[in-house]
Amino acid sequence: MKRAALLILAMLPGLAACGRAPELDAEIDISHVVGGEPLRLDEGHYRNAAGEEFTVGRLRYYLSLPRLRRADGSWFEPRYPAESVDAYHLVDEAKADSRRLRIGGVPAGEYVGIEFLLGVDDARNHGGAQTGALDPARGMFWTWKSGYIFLVLEGTSPESPAPGGRYSYHLGGGEPSLARRVYLPFGERSIRVEERVKPTVHLAVDVGALLSAVNPVRIAQLPEAMDPVAARPLADNAAAMFRVDHLHHEPRRRGGG
Amino acid sequence: MRRRAVILLPLIVVLLIAANGVLRQRLADIIESFPTPRPAVPAGWPAPQYDFSSNPVTASGFELGRRLFHDPRLSRDGSISCASCHQQFAAFAHLDHRVSHGLNGANGTRNAPPLFNLAWQPELMWDGAIHDLELQPLAPLGNPVEMGEALEGVLPKLQSDAEYRRRFEAAFGPGEIDSRRMLLALTQFVGTLRSADSRYDRDELSAQEREGLALFRRHCASCHREPLFTDYSYRGNGLDADSADLGRSVVSGKAEDRGRFKVPSLRNVAVSAPYMHDGRFDTLAQVLRHYASGVQDSPALDPALRGGMALSAEQQQALVAFLESLTDEAFLQDERYSEPLP
């Protein structure tokens, strides 16, 4: 009975798509690395640019308001209903499905780059009670100064003077905001969004860059950054974590996304 | 005989189901007919900061919020409710407590403020940490020395309670009990705690109180602005030369805000002792003595208070008399705000 209901449910999107142009989408897949190595929570031991050894226990951040750039410089910006939180995505290394996000309603065509906000925009950051990725129950909300934590990186390092050798970086808030716009050009290639072809953009996000890209950070000197003043040097580093690793296209399955 | 029972049994079942439906509807009608406090702006008051149009107050939403406010199950070990530290007879402050004790008897660091007219507050808390009334409950809920409970802990408790499931559905329609619905219900309750019916409001002041009002307008009203008796700014009032509490600077990041706190409203001040962010003064007479002769200089000190206020003992008494006229007895005894029957 249950299985039959599920089957019918699974068929519904297919049925609904009949008779009109299927909605096209693009997918973003994220892999976390440290330097050249894949990130393994708690188990991997890495070194930052200053030579300090560290592990990563928690990595979470918001990717918001994605948009795709066309070759002529114009943008495709997905439109969402006013109350919707679909434009906000919480990436959590501990949750595999959170490392994949989908941009829906993309018009067919070629796109040369992607832009998103690392963090939450002021309008939503200063809003009231919200749901979905912005539900305070997700554990990314501050109450000592209400607003979202844009990025969390926590782990241990023998260099940290904090109890348990822990280090904790919580980026959020700030005036001006610590949220950063990140634009990633696809380079010589571009992605094609077509009825028969679905593109996937693979991003490699280097946690090592968070400690060194623009403002080098020593865990020994900064075991904790839990407020916007302390975390400001990290915000520019965070924006530099992202790069396009590779693109690929595969045939779209009929009826599916 | 047996045949009659065979006919009657389904009939009884059908009748019971129908009666249950009718009774439920009647119950819902009765709840909706309660004279629930609704958002309203007293004559001469500014527009509120909180916009109830995105969270319309209904009887079932308000009643749900009232229940949540008084329910100790919201805390981690079921011992502390919002009302534990916000008592109606103290205008929802914590009478006789400099700071309040939460989970496992742990003490907080600041005096529990009274709760009323919150819809007018641009920011909440002594230091303005919270920018939206809807989000305010998250702070005491998650604070390990207050209720010590995470949303992931509270929501399953509510979701597994049939009474709450029914009440949430009555308030917000079908759907899961989530943090937003819980916060909206609490906001309907705390956002409609309105106090605007003191003798001052009814213009029933004695001669001494009138004299106090005149003094108040000369010495105090620039910060404790009528009709809400605060301008919601953050100021230093000379409590310490070197404040142990960072105050507003935690939120603003500005060094000069160290030891500055939000100007509190003075409505119901006579019933919401003790006073100041750390509850250091037990009586209004002590507060007045502080302003007359106890002001300490510091970078945080408000320029208007430098050197203290020239107030004779008699004037201080008149000011206290006036402040006592700001007590809103109807608010303190309003049964719509009191602990609901189980």
Side-chain angles (χ1 to χ4, degrees), chain A residues 43-102:
Chain A
E43 287 162 10
H45 289 257
Y46 311 99
R47 270 180 204 284
N48 63 14
E52 296 173 309
E53 193 185 308
F54 67 98
T55 67
V56 176
R58 184 176 288 175
L59 173 66
R60 291 181 185 170
Y61 53 87
Y62 279 106
L63 288 188
S64 310
L65 306 163
R67 58 179 188 164
L68 293 168
R69 191 167 197 248
R70 300 185 186 92
D72 66 2
S74 65
W75 293 94
F76 163 67
E77 298 189 31
R79 292 198 180 281
Y80 302 100
E83 289 281 298
S84 162
V85 289
D86 292 349
Y88 300 84
H89 188 83
L90 179 57
V91 178
D92 184 343
E93 172 60 15
K95 291 176 183 157
D97 59 349
S98 79
R99 300 199 300 266
R100 178 176 300 157
L101 59 142
R102 180 182 166 270

Short mmCIF file of all heavy atoms in Angstrom, two decimals, chain A residues 43-102:
data_model
loop_
_atom_site.label_atom_id
_atom_site.label_comp_id
_atom_site.label_asym_id
_atom_site.label_seq_id
_atom_site.Cartn_x
_atom_site.Cartn_y
_atom_site.Cartn_z
N GLU A 43 39.15 12.91 11.25
CA GLU A 43 40.21 11.93 11.04
C GLU A 43 41.42 12.49 10.31
O GLU A 43 42.56 12.10 10.58
CB GLU A 43 39.67 10.73 10.26
CG GLU A 43 38.77 9.87 11.13
CD GLU A 43 37.89 8.94 10.31
OE1 GLU A 43 38.11 8.84 9.08
OE2 GLU A 43 36.99 8.35 10.90
N GLY A 44 41.17 13.40 9.36
CA GLY A 44 42.28 13.92 8.57
C GLY A 44 43.14 14.89 9.39
O GLY A 44 42.62 15.70 10.16
N HIS A 45 44.45 14.78 9.27
CA HIS A 45 45.35 15.73 9.90
C HIS A 45 45.99 16.56 8.80
O HIS A 45 46.55 16.01 7.86
CB HIS A 45 46.43 15.01 10.73
CG HIS A 45 45.85 14.40 11.96
ND1 HIS A 45 46.01 14.95 13.21
CD2 HIS A 45 45.08 13.30 12.13
CE1 HIS A 45 45.37 14.21 14.10
NE2 HIS A 45 44.80 13.20 13.48
N TYR A 46 45.89 17.88 8.95
CA TYR A 46 46.35 18.77 7.88
C TYR A 46 47.30 19.81 8.46
O TYR A 46 47.42 19.96 9.67
CB TYR A 46 45.14 19.47 7.23
CG TYR A 46 44.06 18.50 6.85
CD1 TYR A 46 42.95 18.32 7.68
CD2 TYR A 46 44.17 17.73 5.69
CE1 TYR A 46 41.96 17.40 7.35
CE2 TYR A 46 43.18 16.81 5.35
CZ TYR A 46 42.08 16.65 6.18
OH TYR A 46 41.11 15.74 5.86
N ARG A 47 47.97 20.53 7.55
CA ARG A 47 48.81 21.63 7.99
C ARG A 47 48.38 22.90 7.27
O ARG A 47 48.09 22.86 6.07
CB ARG A 47 50.28 21.34 7.68
CG ARG A 47 50.97 20.64 8.81
CD ARG A 47 52.41 20.33 8.54
NE ARG A 47 52.83 19.21 9.37
CZ ARG A 47 53.09 19.32 10.68
NH1 ARG A 47 53.01 20.49 11.29
NH2 ARG A 47 53.45 18.27 11.37
N ASN A 48 48.33 24.01 8.01
CA ASN A 48 48.01 25.27 7.34
C ASN A 48 49.29 25.90 6.81
O ASN A 48 50.39 25.35 6.99
CB ASN A 48 47.23 26.22 8.27
CG ASN A 48 48.04 26.64 9.49
OD1 ASN A 48 49.26 26.45 9.53
ND2 ASN A 48 47.37 27.22 10.48
N ALA A 49 49.16 27.05 6.16
CA ALA A 49 50.31 27.69 5.51
C ALA A 49 51.39 28.02 6.52
O ALA A 49 52.59 28.06 6.19
CB ALA A 49 49.86 28.94 4.78
N ALA A 50 50.98 28.25 7.79
CA ALA A 50 51.96 28.58 8.82
C ALA A 50 52.60 27.32 9.40
O ALA A 50 53.41 27.40 10.32
CB ALA A 50 51.28 29.36 9.95
N GLY A 51 52.22 26.14 8.89
CA GLY A 51 52.83 24.89 9.34
C GLY A 51 52.15 24.29 10.56
O GLY A 51 52.63 23.30 11.11
N GLU A 52 51.04 24.88 10.99
CA GLU A 52 50.35 24.34 12.17
C GLU A 52 49.48 23.15 11.77
O GLU A 52 48.74 23.20 10.79
CB GLU A 52 49.45 25.42 12.79
CG GLU A 52 50.21 26.62 13.33
CD GLU A 52 49.24 27.71 13.77
OE1 GLU A 52 48.35 28.08 13.00
OE2 GLU A 52 49.39 28.18 14.91
N GLU A 53 49.57 22.09 12.58
CA GLU A 53 48.74 20.93 12.31
C GLU A 53 47.32 21.20 12.84
O GLU A 53 47.14 21.85 13.86
CB GLU A 53 49.34 19.72 13.03
CG GLU A 53 48.75 18.39 12.58
CD GLU A 53 49.28 17.24 13.40
OE1 GLU A 53 50.53 17.13 13.51
OE2 GLU A 53 48.47 16.47 13.92
N PHE A 54 46.33 20.70 12.12
CA PHE A 54 44.95 20.86 12.61
C PHE A 54 44.04 19.76 12.04
O PHE A 54 44.36 19.13 11.03
CB PHE A 54 44.39 22.25 12.26
CG PHE A 54 44.19 22.50 10.80
CD1 PHE A 54 42.93 22.35 10.21
CD2 PHE A 54 45.24 22.91 9.98
CE1 PHE A 54 42.73 22.60 8.86
CE2 PHE A 54 45.05 23.15 8.62
CZ PHE A 54 43.80 23.00 8.06
N THR A 55 42.93 19.54 12.75
CA THR A 55 41.86 18.68 12.24
C THR A 55 40.61 19.54 12.09
O THR A 55 40.53 20.66 12.62
CB THR A 55 41.52 17.54 13.22
OG1 THR A 55 40.93 18.12 14.40
CG2 THR A 55 42.76 16.75 13.61
N VAL A 56 39.63 19.02 11.37
CA VAL A 56 38.36 19.73 11.19
C VAL A 56 37.24 18.83 11.73
O VAL A 56 37.12 17.67 11.31
CB VAL A 56 38.10 20.05 9.70
CG1 VAL A 56 36.72 20.69 9.52
CG2 VAL A 56 39.19 20.97 9.17
N GLY A 57 36.48 19.36 12.67
CA GLY A 57 35.38 18.59 13.24
C GLY A 57 34.04 19.03 12.69
O GLY A 57 33.07 18.26 12.65
N ARG A 58 33.96 20.29 12.30
CA ARG A 58 32.68 20.82 11.83
C ARG A 58 32.93 21.90 10.79
O ARG A 58 33.76 22.79 10.99
CB ARG A 58 31.91 21.41 13.01
CG ARG A 58 30.53 21.89 12.66
CD ARG A 58 29.79 22.37 13.87
NE ARG A 58 29.40 21.25 14.74
CZ ARG A 58 28.83 21.41 15.91
NH1 ARG A 58 28.61 22.61 16.38
NH2 ARG A 58 28.49 20.37 16.64
N LEU A 59 32.23 21.79 9.68
CA LEU A 59 32.30 22.81 8.64
C LEU A 59 30.90 23.02 8.09
O LEU A 59 30.29 22.08 7.55
CB LEU A 59 33.24 22.36 7.50
CG LEU A 59 33.26 23.28 6.27
CD1 LEU A 59 33.86 24.64 6.61
CD2 LEU A 59 34.04 22.64 5.11
N ARG A 60 30.38 24.22 8.28
CA ARG A 60 29.04 24.54 7.79
C ARG A 60 29.05 25.96 7.28
O ARG A 60 29.70 26.82 7.89
CB ARG A 60 28.02 24.51 8.92
CG ARG A 60 27.73 23.17 9.50
CD ARG A 60 26.69 23.40 10.58
NE ARG A 60 26.40 22.18 11.31
CZ ARG A 60 25.68 22.17 12.42
NH1 ARG A 60 25.20 23.29 12.92
NH2 ARG A 60 25.44 21.03 13.04
N TYR A 61 28.33 26.21 6.22
CA TYR A 61 28.20 27.60 5.75
C TYR A 61 26.98 27.76 4.86
O TYR A 61 26.47 26.79 4.30
CB TYR A 61 29.47 28.06 5.02
CG TYR A 61 29.94 27.16 3.90
CD1 TYR A 61 29.45 27.29 2.61
CD2 TYR A 61 30.88 26.16 4.15
CE1 TYR A 61 29.89 26.46 1.59
CE2 TYR A 61 31.32 25.32 3.14
CZ TYR A 61 30.81 25.47 1.86
OH TYR A 61 31.23 24.65 0.85
N TYR A 62 26.54 29.01 4.75
CA TYR A 62 25.40 29.33 3.89
C TYR A 62 25.87 29.75 2.51
O TYR A 62 26.76 30.60 2.38
CB TYR A 62 24.59 30.48 4.49
CG TYR A 62 23.63 30.03 5.56
CD1 TYR A 62 23.90 30.31 6.89
CD2 TYR A 62 22.47 29.34 5.24
CE1 TYR A 62 23.03 29.88 7.89
CE2 TYR A 62 21.60 28.91 6.23
CZ TYR A 62 21.87 29.19 7.55
OH TYR A 62 21.01 28.78 8.53
N LEU A 63 25.29 29.14 1.49
CA LEU A 63 25.42 29.64 0.11
C LEU A 63 24.04 30.16 -0.28
O LEU A 63 23.07 29.41 -0.24
CB LEU A 63 25.84 28.53 -0.84
CG LEU A 63 27.27 28.02 -0.76
CD1 LEU A 63 27.54 27.06 -1.92
CD2 LEU A 63 28.26 29.17 -0.79
N SER A 64 23.96 31.44 -0.62
CA SER A 64 22.67 32.06 -0.83
C SER A 64 22.59 32.74 -2.19
O SER A 64 23.61 33.12 -2.76
CB SER A 64 22.41 33.12 0.25
OG SER A 64 22.64 32.57 1.53
N LEU A 65 21.37 32.90 -2.64
CA LEU A 65 21.05 33.73 -3.80
C LEU A 65 21.96 33.45 -5.01
O LEU A 65 22.59 34.36 -5.54
CB LEU A 65 21.16 35.22 -3.41
CG LEU A 65 20.32 35.62 -2.19
CD1 LEU A 65 20.77 36.95 -1.62
CD2 LEU A 65 18.84 35.68 -2.57
N PRO A 66 22.04 32.20 -5.46
CA PRO A 66 22.90 31.90 -6.60
C PRO A 66 22.34 32.52 -7.88
O PRO A 66 21.13 32.70 -8.02
CB PRO A 66 22.84 30.37 -6.68
CG PRO A 66 21.53 30.01 -6.09
CD PRO A 66 21.26 31.03 -5.02
N ARG A 67 23.24 32.88 -8.79
CA ARG A 67 22.80 33.34 -10.11
C ARG A 67 23.85 32.96 -11.14
O ARG A 67 25.03 32.76 -10.81
CB ARG A 67 22.52 34.85 -10.14
CG ARG A 67 23.70 35.72 -9.73
CD ARG A 67 23.30 37.19 -9.81
NE ARG A 67 24.44 38.08 -9.63
CZ ARG A 67 24.43 39.37 -9.95
NH1 ARG A 67 23.35 39.91 -10.48
NH2 ARG A 67 25.49 40.11 -9.76
N LEU A 68 23.42 32.83 -12.39
CA LEU A 68 24.31 32.36 -13.46
C LEU A 68 24.54 33.49 -14.45
O LEU A 68 23.62 34.24 -14.80
CB LEU A 68 23.68 31.16 -14.17
CG LEU A 68 23.55 29.88 -13.34
CD1 LEU A 68 22.66 28.87 -14.05
CD2 LEU A 68 24.93 29.29 -13.06
N ARG A 69 25.78 33.60 -14.92
CA ARG A 69 26.14 34.70 -15.82
C ARG A 69 26.20 34.18 -17.25
O ARG A 69 26.74 33.10 -17.52
CB ARG A 69 27.51 35.24 -15.42
CG ARG A 69 27.88 36.52 -16.10
CD ARG A 69 29.10 37.12 -15.40
NE ARG A 69 29.25 38.52 -15.72
CZ ARG A 69 30.24 38.98 -16.45
NH1 ARG A 69 31.18 38.17 -16.93
NH2 ARG A 69 30.32 40.27 -16.72
N ARG A 70 25.64 34.98 -18.16
CA ARG A 70 25.70 34.63 -19.57
C ARG A 70 26.93 35.28 -20.19
O ARG A 70 27.53 36.20 -19.62
CB ARG A 70 24.45 35.12 -20.31
CG ARG A 70 23.16 34.53 -19.77
CD ARG A 70 21.97 34.95 -20.61
NE ARG A 70 20.71 34.51 -20.01
CZ ARG A 70 19.98 35.25 -19.17
NH1 ARG A 70 20.37 36.48 -18.85
NH2 ARG A 70 18.86 34.77 -18.67
N ALA A 71 27.28 34.82 -21.39
CA ALA A 71 28.48 35.33 -22.07
C ALA A 71 28.37 36.83 -22.31
O ALA A 71 29.37 37.55 -22.31
CB ALA A 71 28.69 34.58 -23.38
N ASP A 72 27.15 37.35 -22.50
CA ASP A 72 27.01 38.79 -22.78
C ASP A 72 27.01 39.62 -21.50
O ASP A 72 26.79 40.83 -21.54
CB ASP A 72 25.73 39.04 -23.60
CG ASP A 72 24.47 38.70 -22.79
OD1 ASP A 72 24.59 38.31 -21.61
OD2 ASP A 72 23.36 38.85 -23.36
N GLY A 73 27.27 38.97 -20.38
CA GLY A 73 27.37 39.72 -19.13
C GLY A 73 26.06 39.84 -18.38
O GLY A 73 26.04 40.33 -17.23
N SER A 74 24.95 39.42 -19.01
CA SER A 74 23.67 39.48 -18.28
C SER A 74 23.56 38.27 -17.35
O SER A 74 24.37 37.34 -17.44
CB SER A 74 22.51 39.50 -19.28
OG SER A 74 22.45 38.28 -19.99
N TRP A 75 22.58 38.31 -16.46
CA TRP A 75 22.46 37.28 -15.42
C TRP A 75 21.14 36.55 -15.52
O TRP A 75 20.12 37.15 -15.83
CB TRP A 75 22.55 37.92 -14.03
CG TRP A 75 23.88 38.50 -13.70
CD1 TRP A 75 24.25 39.80 -13.88
CD2 TRP A 75 25.00 37.82 -13.14
NE1 TRP A 75 25.55 39.98 -13.46
CE2 TRP A 75 26.04 38.79 -13.00
CE3 TRP A 75 25.24 36.50 -12.74
CZ2 TRP A 75 27.29 38.46 -12.49
CZ3 TRP A 75 26.48 36.18 -12.22
CH2 TRP A 75 27.50 37.16 -12.11
N PHE A 76 21.17 35.28 -15.18
CA PHE A 76 19.92 34.59 -14.84
C PHE A 76 19.84 34.51 -13.32
O PHE A 76 20.69 33.89 -12.68
CB PHE A 76 19.85 33.18 -15.43
CG PHE A 76 18.79 32.37 -14.76
CD1 PHE A 76 17.45 32.71 -14.93
CD2 PHE A 76 19.09 31.32 -13.89
CE1 PHE A 76 16.44 32.01 -14.27
CE2 PHE A 76 18.10 30.62 -13.22
CZ PHE A 76 16.78 30.98 -13.42
N GLU A 77 18.83 35.19 -12.78
CA GLU A 77 18.61 35.13 -11.33
C GLU A 77 17.31 34.40 -11.06
O GLU A 77 16.26 34.87 -11.48
CB GLU A 77 18.54 36.54 -10.74
CG GLU A 77 19.82 37.29 -10.94
CD GLU A 77 19.88 38.62 -10.17
OE1 GLU A 77 19.28 38.69 -9.09
OE2 GLU A 77 20.53 39.54 -10.66
N PRO A 78 17.37 33.27 -10.39
CA PRO A 78 16.13 32.55 -10.08
C PRO A 78 15.18 33.44 -9.29
O PRO A 78 15.64 34.22 -8.44
CB PRO A 78 16.59 31.37 -9.23
CG PRO A 78 18.05 31.24 -9.45
CD PRO A 78 18.54 32.61 -9.79
N ARG A 79 13.89 33.36 -9.61
CA ARG A 79 12.91 34.14 -8.85
C ARG A 79 12.20 33.23 -7.86
O ARG A 79 11.82 32.12 -8.21
CB ARG A 79 11.87 34.75 -9.81
CG ARG A 79 12.48 35.81 -10.67
CD ARG A 79 11.43 36.71 -11.29
NE ARG A 79 12.08 37.71 -12.12
CZ ARG A 79 12.66 38.81 -11.64
NH1 ARG A 79 12.64 39.06 -10.35
NH2 ARG A 79 13.24 39.66 -12.46
N TYR A 80 12.06 33.70 -6.66
CA TYR A 80 11.40 32.91 -5.63
C TYR A 80 10.27 33.73 -5.04
O TYR A 80 10.35 34.96 -4.99
CB TYR A 80 12.39 32.55 -4.52
CG TYR A 80 13.60 31.78 -4.99
CD1 TYR A 80 14.81 32.41 -5.20
CD2 TYR A 80 13.52 30.41 -5.23
CE1 TYR A 80 15.92 31.71 -5.64
CE2 TYR A 80 14.61 29.70 -5.67
CZ TYR A 80 15.82 30.35 -5.86
OH TYR A 80 16.91 29.65 -6.28
N PRO A 81 9.21 33.05 -4.57
CA PRO A 81 8.16 33.80 -3.85
C PRO A 81 8.76 34.51 -2.65
O PRO A 81 9.76 34.06 -2.08
CB PRO A 81 7.19 32.70 -3.40
CG PRO A 81 7.52 31.49 -4.22
CD PRO A 81 8.96 31.62 -4.62
N ALA A 82 8.12 35.63 -2.25
CA ALA A 82 8.68 36.49 -1.20
C ALA A 82 9.01 35.73 0.08
O ALA A 82 10.04 35.95 0.69
CB ALA A 82 7.72 37.63 -0.91
N GLU A 83 8.12 34.81 0.49
CA GLU A 83 8.32 34.12 1.77
C GLU A 83 9.27 32.93 1.65
O GLU A 83 9.70 32.36 2.65
CB GLU A 83 6.97 33.61 2.29
CG GLU A 83 6.03 34.70 2.76
CD GLU A 83 6.41 35.19 4.16
OE1 GLU A 83 6.37 34.39 5.10
OE2 GLU A 83 6.77 36.37 4.29
N SER A 84 9.61 32.56 0.42
CA SER A 84 10.37 31.34 0.21
C SER A 84 11.79 31.45 0.75
O SER A 84 12.41 32.51 0.73
CB SER A 84 10.40 31.04 -1.29
OG SER A 84 11.43 30.12 -1.58
N VAL A 85 12.32 30.32 1.23
CA VAL A 85 13.71 30.29 1.66
C VAL A 85 14.54 29.43 0.70
O VAL A 85 15.65 29.02 1.02
CB VAL A 85 13.86 29.77 3.10
CG1 VAL A 85 13.34 30.78 4.09
CG2 VAL A 85 13.16 28.44 3.28
N ASP A 86 13.98 29.17 -0.49
CA ASP A 86 14.67 28.29 -1.44
C ASP A 86 16.00 28.84 -1.93
O ASP A 86 16.84 28.10 -2.42
CB ASP A 86 13.77 28.02 -2.65
CG ASP A 86 12.56 27.18 -2.27
OD1 ASP A 86 12.55 26.65 -1.14
OD2 ASP A 86 11.64 27.07 -3.09
N ALA A 87 16.19 30.15 -1.81
CA ALA A 87 17.44 30.75 -2.29
C ALA A 87 18.56 30.61 -1.26
O ALA A 87 19.66 31.10 -1.49
CB ALA A 87 17.21 32.22 -2.62
N TYR A 88 18.28 29.94 -0.15
CA TYR A 88 19.27 29.81 0.93
C TYR A 88 19.60 28.34 1.13
O TYR A 88 18.72 27.50 1.24
CB TYR A 88 18.73 30.43 2.23
CG TYR A 88 18.45 31.89 2.00
CD1 TYR A 88 17.24 32.30 1.44
CD2 TYR A 88 19.42 32.86 2.25
CE1 TYR A 88 17.00 33.64 1.16
CE2 TYR A 88 19.19 34.18 1.97
CZ TYR A 88 17.98 34.57 1.42
OH TYR A 88 17.75 35.88 1.14
N HIS A 89 20.88 28.06 1.15
CA HIS A 89 21.31 26.67 1.22
C HIS A 89 22.38 26.54 2.29
O HIS A 89 23.34 27.30 2.31
CB HIS A 89 21.86 26.27 -0.15
CG HIS A 89 22.14 24.81 -0.24
ND1 HIS A 89 21.16 23.88 -0.54
CD2 HIS A 89 23.27 24.10 -0.06
CE1 HIS A 89 21.68 22.68 -0.53
NE2 HIS A 89 22.97 22.77 -0.24
N LEU A 90 22.17 25.59 3.19
CA LEU A 90 23.14 25.36 4.25
C LEU A 90 23.99 24.15 3.90
O LEU A 90 23.48 23.02 3.84
CB LEU A 90 22.43 25.15 5.59
CG LEU A 90 23.34 24.89 6.80
CD1 LEU A 90 24.34 26.02 7.01
CD2 LEU A 90 22.49 24.69 8.06
N VAL A 91 25.27 24.40 3.64
CA VAL A 91 26.21 23.31 3.33
C VAL A 91 26.79 22.81 4.65
O VAL A 91 27.22 23.61 5.49
CB VAL A 91 27.35 23.82 2.42
CG1 VAL A 91 28.35 22.69 2.15
CG2 VAL A 91 26.80 24.37 1.12
N ASP A 92 26.74 21.50 4.85
CA ASP A 92 27.27 20.90 6.08
C ASP A 92 28.09 19.69 5.66
O ASP A 92 27.54 18.73 5.10
CB ASP A 92 26.10 20.49 6.98
CG ASP A 92 26.58 19.93 8.32
OD1 ASP A 92 27.78 19.57 8.42
OD2 ASP A 92 25.75 19.85 9.24
N GLU A 93 29.39 19.75 5.92
CA GLU A 93 30.25 18.64 5.49
C GLU A 93 29.75 17.31 6.04
O GLU A 93 29.93 16.26 5.43
CB GLU A 93 31.70 18.92 5.93
CG GLU A 93 32.68 17.78 5.74
CD GLU A 93 32.84 17.32 4.29
OE1 GLU A 93 32.41 18.05 3.37
OE2 GLU A 93 33.38 16.22 4.09
N ALA A 94 29.08 17.33 7.20
CA ALA A 94 28.62 16.08 7.81
C ALA A 94 27.40 15.50 7.10
O ALA A 94 27.00 14.38 7.39
CB ALA A 94 28.31 16.32 9.29
N LYS A 95 26.78 16.29 6.21
CA LYS A 95 25.57 15.79 5.52
C LYS A 95 25.80 15.80 4.02
O LYS A 95 25.79 16.86 3.38
CB LYS A 95 24.37 16.68 5.86
CG LYS A 95 23.96 16.51 7.30
CD LYS A 95 22.84 17.44 7.69
CE LYS A 95 22.52 17.26 9.17
NZ LYS A 95 21.88 18.42 9.74
N ALA A 96 25.99 14.60 3.46
CA ALA A 96 26.39 14.49 2.06
C ALA A 96 25.41 15.21 1.14
O ALA A 96 25.83 15.91 0.21
CB ALA A 96 26.52 13.02 1.68
N ASP A 97 24.11 15.06 1.38
CA ASP A 97 23.15 15.67 0.44
C ASP A 97 23.15 17.20 0.50
O ASP A 97 22.66 17.85 -0.41
CB ASP A 97 21.74 15.10 0.63
CG ASP A 97 21.22 15.35 2.03
OD1 ASP A 97 22.03 15.76 2.89
OD2 ASP A 97 20.02 15.14 2.28
N SER A 98 23.72 17.75 1.56
CA SER A 98 23.78 19.22 1.64
C SER A 98 24.88 19.78 0.73
O SER A 98 24.95 20.98 0.51
CB SER A 98 24.03 19.66 3.08
OG SER A 98 25.40 19.53 3.41
N ARG A 99 25.74 18.90 0.24
CA ARG A 99 26.83 19.39 -0.62
C ARG A 99 26.43 19.44 -2.08
O ARG A 99 27.25 19.62 -2.96
CB ARG A 99 28.06 18.48 -0.45
CG ARG A 99 28.56 18.44 1.00
CD ARG A 99 29.98 17.95 1.08
NE ARG A 99 30.14 16.60 0.57
CZ ARG A 99 30.09 15.51 1.34
NH1 ARG A 99 29.87 15.61 2.64
NH2 ARG A 99 30.25 14.31 0.80
N ARG A 100 25.15 19.26 -2.32
CA ARG A 100 24.64 19.32 -3.69
C ARG A 100 23.48 20.30 -3.70
O ARG A 100 22.59 20.22 -2.86
CB ARG A 100 24.16 17.94 -4.10
CG ARG A 100 23.56 17.87 -5.48
CD ARG A 100 23.20 16.45 -5.82
NE ARG A 100 24.38 15.60 -5.79
CZ ARG A 100 24.34 14.29 -5.60
NH1 ARG A 100 23.20 13.68 -5.41
NH2 ARG A 100 25.45 13.58 -5.59
N LEU A 101 23.52 21.27 -4.60
CA LEU A 101 22.36 22.14 -4.71
C LEU A 101 21.96 22.32 -6.16
O LEU A 101 22.77 22.16 -7.07
CB LEU A 101 22.55 23.48 -4.01
CG LEU A 101 23.66 24.43 -4.41
CD1 LEU A 101 23.14 25.84 -4.33
CD2 LEU A 101 24.84 24.28 -3.45
N ARG A 102 20.69 22.62 -6.31
CA ARG A 102 20.09 22.65 -7.64
C ARG A 102 19.58 24.06 -7.88
O ARG A 102 18.95 24.65 -7.01
CB ARG A 102 18.95 21.64 -7.64
CG ARG A 102 18.21 21.54 -8.93
CD ARG A 102 17.06 20.54 -8.77
NE ARG A 102 16.14 20.68 -9.88
CZ ARG A 102 15.10 21.51 -9.88
NH1 ARG A 102 14.83 22.22 -8.83
NH2 ARG A 102 14.34 21.61 -10.96
#
